[in-house]
Amino acid sequence: MRRSLASLWVAYVLMVLNVFGWLYASLKMALAHGDAPVALAKPINGAMLLANGAADGATVFGGAWWRLITAQFLHVQPLHLALNLVGLYCLGRYVETALGAMRFAAIYFGAGTLGMLASVVAAPALVSSGASQAILGLVGASLAYLSLVWRDMREWRWPSRFALGLGLLYGAIQISLDIATVHTVKSGHLAGLLAGFALGYLLTWPAKWRGTRHATNEQAAIPARTRERL
């Protein structure tokens, strides 16, 4: 892995924003119903989610396209948020370390937005929210990255391997739940996964190709006798 964990920041900012989005909507619902301590443990209803930036067919196709992004920071209940935070922590650190902050942000928001759009198209009457599409995009990006650099995994430290393993386990559990249950949001999850893989491959392959070409040119520039001593 190329970057130290101390240089990471996008994944942590996204985690804070996800917590803030859920807490803000929960507190607004608590104030509306007058049961603040209890409301934090209750699922947030669809009307409150929509009032705070969630997406459905009527709002998105009515011109509020920005909801495809804001909806990614709203979660229905604490467990929903907690599971996504675990996935974001493990996969976010891995992808941001491997590809850098800007590529990581592009994958997260690209996969999340396309996944959210797929959810809205498949079920326009339902309220869509959550970061699952974006995090499954990170699963796809991780798989794309591994397909290109798997030979270098022996050089990784065990915390990186462990975090990646947990992140991929999250993806496997989410996909298994999608297969086992009947709900239309699986289209959004699938779109996020595929978009993440495509973006991960496109953003990884040029850098890997340039690095391989640079290494080959450097190797060719070393005299034969010098190479024999290496």
Side-chain angles (χ1 to χ4, degrees), residues 20 38 40 75 91 106 118 125 136 154 209 219 224:
F20 176 80
V38 180
L40 293 179
H75 290 79
L91 289 165
L136 281 169
R154 61 182 180 274
W209 181 78
Q219 184 70 13

Side-chain angles (χ1 to χ4, degrees), residues 4-219:
S4 67
L5 293 179
S7 65
L8 305 183
W9 61 275
V10 176
Y12 298 127
V13 169
L14 289 172
M15 291 176 69
V16 171
L17 290 176
N18 274 282
V19 173
F20 176 80
W22 167 78
L23 189 60
Y24 179 75
S26 293
L27 289 175
K28 285 188 67 174
M29 189 175 73
L31 292 174
H33 294 83
D35 55 351
V38 180
L40 293 179
K42 290 182 177 179
I44 302 174
N45 59 51
M48 185 60 66
L49 288 170
L50 280 176
N52 288 280
D56 68 353
T59 56
V60 171
F61 300 136
W65 294 95
W66 50 269
R67 288 177 178 269
L68 296 175
I69 296 177
T70 56
Q72 298 174 43
F73 297 102
L74 296 170
H75 290 79
V76 175
Q77 56 186 337
L79 180 60
H80 184 203
L81 172 67
L83 290 175
N84 281 341
L85 287 178
V86 170
L88 178 54
Y89 177 77
C90 295
L91 289 165
R93 284 162 35 114
Y94 167 74
V95 175
E96 188 174 356
T97 299
L99 299 180
M102 294 301 102
R103 288 188 179 96
F104 166 67
I107 292 169
Y108 184 90
F109 285 109
T113 302
L114 289 174
M116 193 65 66
L117 178 61
S119 294
V120 170
V121 170
L126 297 181
V127 177
S128 296
S129 65
S132 300
Q133 293 93 332
I135 297 171
L136 281 169
L138 297 182
V139 173
S142 299
L143 294 175
Y145 183 80
L146 285 175
S147 72
L148 292 170
V149 301
W150 62 272
R151 291 184 180 85
D152 300 327
M153 284 188 67
R154 61 182 180 274
E155 300 177 3
W156 297 0
R157 297 180 178 179
W158 73 264
S160 297
R161 298 183 185 184
F162 182 71
L164 175 61
L166 283 180
L168 294 179
L169 177 61
Y170 164 91
I173 292 173
Q174 183 66 72
I175 293 170
S176 299
L177 289 174
D178 285 349
I179 295 174
T181 58
V182 180
H183 56 76
T184 53
V185 76
K186 66 179 65 175
S187 60
H189 291 170
L190 179 61
L193 179 69
L194 295 178
F197 184 89
L199 289 169
Y201 196 91
L202 290 173
L203 294 174
T204 301
W205 184 81
K208 177 177 173 59
W209 181 78
R210 287 195 301 270
T212 302
R213 184 181 62 175
H214 179 70
T216 302
N217 290 340
E218 283 188 344
Q219 184 70 13

